Every structure is written in structure tokens, then in C-alpha cells.
Amino acid sequence: MPELPEVQTTVNGIHRVAKGLTIKDVWTDYNSPFHSQKDNIKNPSFFTEFSKAVIGANIVGASRRAKNILIHLSNGKTILVHMKMTGHMMFGKYRIDTSKAKDPWSPVEADGPLADPFNRFIHFVITFSNNTQLVLSDMRKFAKVTLLDTESLSTSPDLQHIGPEPLDAQFTLNVFKERINKKPNGKIKSVLMDQTLISGIGNIYSDEVLWRAGVHPETTVSKIPEDKVKAMLKAVKETLERGIDFGGDSMSDYRNIDGERGKFQDHHEAYRRTGKECRKRGCGGKIVRKVVGGRSAHFCDTHQEK
């Protein structure tokens, strides 16, 4: 699932390429009986109202809250996109072949980055007045798209229970301690990934944070000493900023707004490096994998003491 760095990279891209453009049309082939009566575009009735609300509006900018993309419109509405497990958004020129029942949209440039096989599962399209498109490729069709009132975003059901942003200047040591200590008996990897406590951290970046801080993923929160808590906070900020600097992580299917891969996967220290030597200077340990709280944890068996 795209985490904070991937979502921020996407938001930066949308703000760069789509700001000021006017929405000419929208399309989706999402249609699930499970989502009947729900407030997202997988409900055809909702999509009809969604279309009426967004067509003709201008994109005034984009921002991020946790793992949610927020596309702000000139009419006081905001399109919220949560990319879930396999979604990513791209911008370019596409064409539609209505004779294809499956994946009818394809990029005009058949040999460019948008032609990457991971970019072909297009299930939501915004067409602008200059005939460019902002599209959502979603291989497993888990992504969510809805429409909210911009002025009441923070109190919407999608956002009101999310924890603070770890890259905000206000996210201090005291705030970090207060958040993780809400689950004193929890295992630290699971606690870091709890979106109601801290927003934006998932499986990849929690592994990398804990490797940097030298904390075992199964350590109980209440047993983590002060110096390690400080090290974790430093690691959280540095690791997430590093992920953004490298354009996100594309070990799986994530692609940026141009359909290109990020590069953070080339700089993993723990995530999916099972059996490899730990690269911490003077450590000598190896990266091992263990399931923690139902998720895979990758960590060094030597310097990440429990």
C-alpha cells in the first residue's frame, strides 16, 4: 500500500501538472453491489451526483492527509482518493476503446512510461478541458474515491479519526511519546502503523524506522527506554523525508504521476532483505523476517534488541 512518501509524491505531482485545469468529464467502471448506498464512486448513484458536482470546476491545488490524496476544487469541494493496496494516479493523454470490456483506457504514447504494465488497470478518469487526463490505475480495485466539502474536511468520517502528521513541526518528542503511549502494551511495529495514533506510516517505513533506531519490532511500547524513543522520532522524520526525496517506493506497483517508478526500494536497509547482512557499520547481523501483528516485519537479529 502506498504510504506517506508515495502519497506525498503523488500530491506534489498533481499540484504541479493539474493546478488551474478545468474538469471537462469524469469516467469510471467501478460498480460494486457491496458499495450500494455508500458515499463513493463505486456506487453508481453516488457517481452520478459526483459527476454533476465536479464537471466544470477548476483544480485549485492538491494536498495530503495521512495516506489520502485531497484534490481541491474551485467550487468548495474536494475529491478524496485513497489508493489502498495497489492504486496510483497518473497524468497524461489517454484514449478509450469502448470495444474493450476490460481496461479500455490506454496511453496515447504506447511506448512511454504510462505504458508500463502496472499502469494499465485504469478504473477512474478525470478529463480536463485541454484533453489531458488524471487517471487512477487500481489493479485490485480496492481504491476509494469520494467527494467532500473542503471547509469540513477535518471532521469528515474519512479523516476525523486520523492521528497527527509525523512530518509536521508540531510533531515533537512529547507528542510522539503521547501518541505511542496510548497503547503501552502494544508491539511497537503495530503501534507505528496504527493510523489513529500516527498517520502515514505503513509496513515498509515502519521496518526502516525501527532498523535506523535499533528497536526490535516486537518490543512493548512501555519497555522502550527514553533514548530509543528519541531515536525513533528522529528515524521517523528522516526515513519519511528520505522516501519523499527518492520519489517513493516502487518495489511493488506504485508509480508516480508520470507513470515512473520511485527509487526508495534501492535504499532499503531492512524491508524485504531477508537473509542478507545488516549494513549497519560494525553490526555483523543478518536481516530476518517474522510476522508481527499479522504483518511481515524485517529486522536485524543483532543490533535491534528486544
Side-chain angles (χ1 to χ4, degrees), residues 8 17 78 108 118 127 144 152 168 172 206-207 237 245 280 284 304:
Q8 188 63 55
V17 301
T78 292
V108 171
F118 279 111
T127 298
K144 178 177 182 176
S152 58
D168 283 356
T172 61
S206 60
D207 279 353
K237 291 182 178 287
D245 288 343
K280 182 177 175 64
Q304 289 179 255

Side-chain angles (χ1 to χ4, degrees), residues 76-232:
K77 297 292 186 179
T78 292
I79 299 171
L80 179 149
V81 181
H82 194 305
M83 299 187 286
K84 300 290 184 178
M85 292 294 293
T86 58
H88 57 276
M89 300 198 76
M90 300 170 295
F91 179 86
K93 288 193 174 183
Y94 288 77
R95 54 176 165 249
I96 188 167
D97 183 348
T98 55
S99 68
K100 293 183 179 180
K102 183 179 180 182
D103 305 325
W105 285 86
S106 60
V108 171
E109 297 292 335
D111 57 351
L114 298 180
D116 181 324
F118 279 111
N119 295 338
R120 71 174 183 262
F121 303 96
I122 297 170
H123 298 295
F124 173 61
V125 177
I126 298 173
T127 298
F128 297 109
S129 54
N130 64 356
N131 292 318
T132 58
Q133 283 87 25
L134 181 65
V135 307
L136 173 63
S137 179
D138 182 17
M139 183 168 60
R140 298 179 68 181
K141 301 182 78 169
F142 288 162
K144 178 177 182 176
V145 180
T146 190
L147 190 67
L148 305 172
D149 291 326
T150 305
E151 65 178 14
S152 58
L153 284 174
S154 62
T155 58
S156 71
D158 293 280
L159 303 176
Q160 65 180 344
H161 300 299
I162 295 174
E165 292 287 339
L167 292 183
D168 283 356
Q170 295 85 358
F171 194 77
T172 61
L173 179 61
N174 285 338
V175 173
F176 182 52
K177 288 164 66 174
E178 182 265 332
R179 300 310 293 178
I180 63 174
N181 281 317
K182 285 183 177 291
K183 291 195 174 179
N185 298 317
K187 295 176 180 178
I188 187 58
K189 178 177 171 69
S190 299
V191 170
L192 286 176
M193 294 172 62
D194 186 332
Q195 298 301 294
T196 67
L197 300 178
I198 303 169
S199 67
I201 302 173
N203 211 32
I204 296 172
Y205 292 94
S206 60
D207 279 353
E208 296 299 305
V209 163
L210 294 173
W211 181 91
R212 278 177 171 259
V215 177
H216 193 286
E218 291 185 305
T219 305
T220 301
V221 168
S222 62
K223 295 181 179 179
I224 302 174
E226 180 80 5
D227 63 326
K228 289 294 186 181
V229 175
K230 291 179 180 178
M232 279 196 299

